[in-house]
Amino acid sequence: MKLGKLTLGIITAATLLVINCSASKTVSEESLGLRTTNIYSEDTTTSDKTQYGSKPAGESTKIKRAFENAPPMIPHDVEGMLPITIDNNQCTMCHDPAVAQSMGATPIPKTHFTSFRPQTELTKDGVMLQNGKHLDNTIDIKTVEKPLDSLSGARFNCSQCHAPQSEGTKAPKNNFSSEFRSEGLNGKSNLIDTINEGVK
Ligand code: HEC
Ligand code: HEC
């Protein structure tokens, strides 16, 4: 009986200690989100306006790559260029490798003129064929790299991967710092040379 009371006493004391400790570590509501605002009066909180760079192509400053072979952000104004449609893709008018240099624009890289899709077909009865041969498992499909004469259809919609960057003052602090394995990769890509890294 005595032991029971003692145990109860210890448990109570331990619980109080825990409650006390956690009470001293309060989290204010203002610090709960990135908005640093009181969540009960956040209807007055306004977010940053989206403000893409207004410098025209040719006068903007390129943005350093976020990581190795990241799709570069669009540094210049894209007013009137988006959305990209089948009849109107202005991006290629300056970034096509045939003209890019004369426009001072980065040429569209080789990866965008390459098909990475395996040549497969599906028969009427649902059998998958690769080069006429039956495939048991899609895992048998090796990475293919087939150079194309023109831009790959998978790369036509530039803004699917390349985005303009909005300038804001309210962005939370970001401690990310990128590391590149070789010189200059923060300003250019070399994916076509490293695409099979870790696979072959
Ligand atoms: C009038 C020519 C022109 C057009 C049209 C154009 N660009 Fe550019 N682009 C440039 C130039 C020139 C640069 C280099 C930065 C500068 O001088 O402003 C550039 C830079 C870029 C970069 C950064 C490249 C790097 O190496 O960091 C990307 C990404 C880009 N453009 C994508 C696009 C996309 C996507 C479109 C279509 C929505 C587009 N551009 C339309 C001329 C153009
Ligand atoms: C499916 C995503 C995707 C699409 C769509 C796409 N890109 Fe890219 N782009 C990338 C990635 C990822 C890279 C970096 C790796 C590489 O070179 O492939 C890149 C790199 C680039 C570069 C930098 C090349 C260098 O040498 O540093 C330019 C310029 C570029 N793309 C322009 C375009 C334009 C213009 C279009 C539309 C015609 C386009 N891209 C469509 C993903 C894409």
Side-chain angles (χ1 to χ4, degrees), residues 65 67-70 180-191:
R65 313 283 160 104
F67 51 89
E68 215 168 284
N69 288 319
F180 298 89
R181 289 175 299 173
S182 54
E183 197 74 13
L185 285 180
N186 61 354
K188 64 169 194 275
S189 74
N190 68 347
L191 192 62

Side-chain angles (χ1 to χ4, degrees), residues 62 65 67-72 84 89-96 105-113 116 151-162 185 187-192 195:
K62 289 183 192 169
R65 313 283 160 104
F67 51 89
E68 215 168 284
N69 288 319
I84 293 162
N89 187 344
Q90 296 182 45
C91 317
T92 55
M93 291 180 194
C94 295
H95 288 278
D96 187 314
T106 313
I108 300 174
K110 282 196 182 135
T111 47
H112 296 28
F113 291 86
F116 296 104
L151 187 69
S152 159
R155 306 288 190 160
F156 186 81
N157 189 19
C158 320
S159 55
Q160 179 187 331
C161 306
H162 298 276
L185 285 180
K188 64 169 194 275
S189 74
N190 68 347
L191 192 62
I192 196 69
I195 193 92

Side-chain angles (χ1 to χ4, degrees), residues 28-170:
S28 77
E29 279 162 0
E30 285 80 359
S31 68
L32 283 178
L34 296 173
R35 287 161 296 184
T36 59
T37 193
N38 185 317
I39 56 171
Y40 295 109
S41 55
E42 63 177 354
D43 48 340
T44 54
T45 307
T46 47
S47 64
D48 258 355
K49 247 180 95 182
T50 304
Q51 271 178 312
Y52 295 135
S54 56
K55 293 221 171 108
E59 284 175 32
S60 70
T61 311
K62 289 183 192 169
I63 302 162
K64 286 215 164 81
R65 313 283 160 104
F67 51 89
E68 215 168 284
N69 288 319
M73 308 281 307
I74 308 172
H76 53 70
D77 195 8
V78 285
E79 184 80 44
M81 299 180 195
L82 301 176
I84 293 162
T85 67
I86 192 75
D87 304 312
N88 186 9
N89 187 344
Q90 296 182 45
C91 317
T92 55
M93 291 180 194
C94 295
H95 288 278
D96 187 314
V99 294
Q101 207 184 2
S102 62
M103 303 299 295
T106 313
I108 300 174
K110 282 196 182 135
T111 47
H112 296 28
F113 291 86
T114 305
S115 167
F116 296 104
R117 292 179 178 169
Q119 299 284 309
T120 54
E121 55 178 304
L122 207 58
T123 64
K124 272 193 209 129
D125 28 301
V127 176
M128 201 190 304
L129 298 179
Q130 186 186 26
N131 300 328
K133 271 171 63 194
H134 176 224
L135 269 188
D136 286 328
N137 193 324
T138 46
I139 212 143
D140 297 341
I141 301 175
K142 299 221 169 62
T143 314
V144 279
E145 238 180 280
K146 195 169 148 249
L148 304 169
D149 295 332
S150 55
L151 187 69
S152 159
R155 306 288 190 160
F156 186 81
N157 189 19
C158 320
S159 55
Q160 179 187 331
C161 306
H162 298 276
Q165 194 163 48
S166 177
E167 290 294 335
T169 52
K170 291 180 185 164

